[in-house]
Amino acid sequence: MDKETKRKTTAEFDAHWDVEMALAVMQDPHAEAKTWADAVRWLLLNGPPALQELIRQASSAATSAQFPELKPQGYTDSGEPVYDIKVLAQTLGLSEAEAGQRLSEMQGAAGIRTLYAPKDTHKLH
């Protein structure tokens, strides 16, 4: 899929959501996993800033609970945690190449940046 087609597809997808609908999907215990993930993605990209922050905090708490050995190595300018891809791959039982490929695919499919160059982050000391 070329960039123009992807941009149109994303715009069409985004036009079908609003905050109320996305929140209803997130609260539905019977929502399909993909639909639920789409609602979260839409809110992360288009929801009110306070709601975006709550989702980020919940994601961080879930990551810490499920993968306590995985610690952020730094943060982006917008406060997103950044993980070392070597540690991430090891934690998930993947090769570094496979982890990078999956993140790249997610980045393209979801429209959410997942890969950062070291110059784009702030290291923790």
Side-chain angles (χ1 to χ4, degrees):
M1 180 181 302
D2 65 26
K3 285 186 179 182
E4 184 60 28
T5 303
K6 185 176 277 189
R7 193 175 5 259
K8 286 179 183 175
T9 302
T10 300
E12 289 170 4
F13 170 81
D14 287 345
H16 288 60
W17 289 95
D18 62 29
V19 172
E20 185 177 331
M21 184 174 136
L23 288 173
V25 168
M26 287 182 66
Q27 294 175 10
D28 181 354
H30 304 293
E32 293 181 9
K34 182 181 180 332
T35 303
W36 189 90
D38 287 344
V40 172
R41 180 186 72 81
W42 188 89
L43 287 167
L44 279 170
L45 295 173
N46 304 293
L51 190 52
Q52 290 175 356
E53 181 57 28
L54 284 172
I55 293 170
R56 285 187 193 101
Q57 288 174 6
S59 176
S60 179
T63 299
S64 294
Q66 292 299 309
F67 305 103
E69 68 281 5
L70 191 59
K71 305 284 186 219
Q73 300 300 302
Y75 291 88
T76 64
D77 287 339
S78 63
E80 296 292 320
V82 179
Y83 300 92
D84 182 315
I85 195 158
K86 291 176 188 171
V87 177
L88 180 64
Q90 184 179 27
T91 299
L92 298 175
L94 304 171
S95 71
E96 191 175 334
E98 186 177 5
Q101 180 180 351
R102 286 188 183 189
L103 287 169
S104 182
E105 288 169 359
M106 253 195 318
Q107 182 170 284
I112 298 173
R113 187 171 180 191
T114 58
L115 297 169
Y116 294 88
K119 68 179 179 61
D120 296 331
T121 66
H122 305 282
K123 280 197 126 346
L124 295 177
H125 298 284

